């Protein structure tokens, strides 16, 4: 416990006390998931968007960045199969994207020209979409079909996770524009699925 307190004190002293005010951010994420079900296909990354607002605050003498916005979770499943006896082949792609209302808080620490940061995040499911593309080849006759469906009901449990990343101030706009990159690790398993993401976005502080 003393070590944790010492680290927090060092972080608070290392940062300037005039934290940035309101700002906004927007960017993209390569969203993915881990499926724990035995025999399930391996998911692949699916690109998504994120956007929101943030603010620097002091809490009990500790500098923090807090924010809220729209973030996406998702993944792709791709499978293919060929029947050697009939010569029929089939491939299927399923993309699942879900929109969440996220709230997060991170503690920054100066590293090099920018800030490293880490902290918890919580999300609430809003809506989503599932898209399926199927292609078949039967006796040389190609058959293709695609479907798209809205997802109105998501996981029952809220989403919780940890984000870590780094912010680099760009040498334009008086240093108010930052390039940010990080990693999100979900901590809650929803029906054998745990989300994760690598993201990058630009942030502008007012």
């Amino acid at each position: 416990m003393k070590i944790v307190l010492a680290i927090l004190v060092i972080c608070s002293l290392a940062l300037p006390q005039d934290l940035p005010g309101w700002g906004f951010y927007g960017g993209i994420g390569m969203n993915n998931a881990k499926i724990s079900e035995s025999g399930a296909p391996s998911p692949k990354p699916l690109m998504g968007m994120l956007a929101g607002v943030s603010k620097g605050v002091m809490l009990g003498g500790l500098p923090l960045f807090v924010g809220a916005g729209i973030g996406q979770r998702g993944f792709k499943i791709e499978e293919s199969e060929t029947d050697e006896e009939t010569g029929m082949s089939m491939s299927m792609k399923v993309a699942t994207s879900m929109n969440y209302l996220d709230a997060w808080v991170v503690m920054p620490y100066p590293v090099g020209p920018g800030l490293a940061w880490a902290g918890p995040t919580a999300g609430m499911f809003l809506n989503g979409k599932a898209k399926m593309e199927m292609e078949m080849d039967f006796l040389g006759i190609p058959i293709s079909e695609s479907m798209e469906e809205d997802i109105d009901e998501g996981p029952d449990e809220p989403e919780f996770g940890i984000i870590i990343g780094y912010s680099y101030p760009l040498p334009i706009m008086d240093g108010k524009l930052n390039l940010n990159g990080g990693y999100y690790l979900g901590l809650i398993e929803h029906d054998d699925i745990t989300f994760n993401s690598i993201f990058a976005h630009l942030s502008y502080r007012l």
Side-chain angles (χ1 to χ4, degrees):
M1 185 64 181
K2 292 181 179 180
I3 295 177
V4 174
L5 291 175
I7 293 174
L8 293 177
V9 171
I10 292 173
C11 291
S12 64
L13 293 176
L15 280 167
Q17 301 304 303
D18 52 340
L19 290 172
W22 288 100
F24 55 89
Y25 62 89
I28 60 173
M30 293 303 296
N31 304 317
N32 208 336
K34 177 182 178 182
I35 302 178
S36 61
E37 180 184 356
S38 177
S42 299
K44 295 185 177 182
L46 177 67
M47 183 176 292
M49 309 295 291
L50 64 151
V53 297
S54 63
K55 191 178 190 302
V57 299
M58 295 294 293
L59 181 62
L62 297 177
L64 300 172
F65 290 154
V66 299
I70 301 298
Q72 291 184 322
R73 315 290 194 275
F75 57 93
K76 290 190 299 185
I77 296 292
E78 298 181 359
E79 290 187 291
S80 61
E81 185 177 351
T82 300
D83 190 326
E84 296 182 357
E85 294 184 359
T86 62
M88 185 178 71
S89 63
M90 182 184 69
S91 64
M92 183 176 63
K93 300 179 181 179
V94 180
T96 303
S97 178
M98 291 180 280
N99 300 316
Y100 275 76
L101 176 62
D102 290 323
W104 50 267
V105 55
V106 297
M107 186 170 186
Y109 185 80
V111 176
L115 294 173
W117 36 264
T121 179
M124 181 178 66
F125 173 81
L126 298 176
N127 51 49
K129 283 185 178 295
K131 184 177 181 180
M132 183 187 74
E133 297 179 355
M134 184 174 63
E135 295 182 354
M136 298 178 59
D137 190 311
F138 182 66
L139 300 177
I141 303 174
I143 302 172
S144 62
E145 184 178 357
S146 63
M147 298 174 55
E148 188 169 305
E149 183 178 352
D150 292 332
I151 303 175
D152 298 321
E153 296 184 5
D156 294 330
E157 306 87 358
E159 172 74 354
F160 292 100
I162 295 175
I163 51 175
I164 58 174
Y166 186 80
S167 297
Y168 179 82
L170 298 176
I172 55 176
M173 305 178 73
D174 297 327
K176 294 183 178 181
L177 189 66
N178 288 268
L179 176 62
N180 313 284
Y183 177 72
Y184 168 77
L185 176 63
L187 301 178
I188 303 297
E189 188 174 276
H190 308 283
D191 296 327
D192 299 322
I193 297 174
T194 306
F195 297 113
N196 60 76
S197 177
I198 298 174
F199 59 86
H201 59 76
L202 291 172
S203 61
Y204 180 78
R205 304 200 176 278
L206 302 176

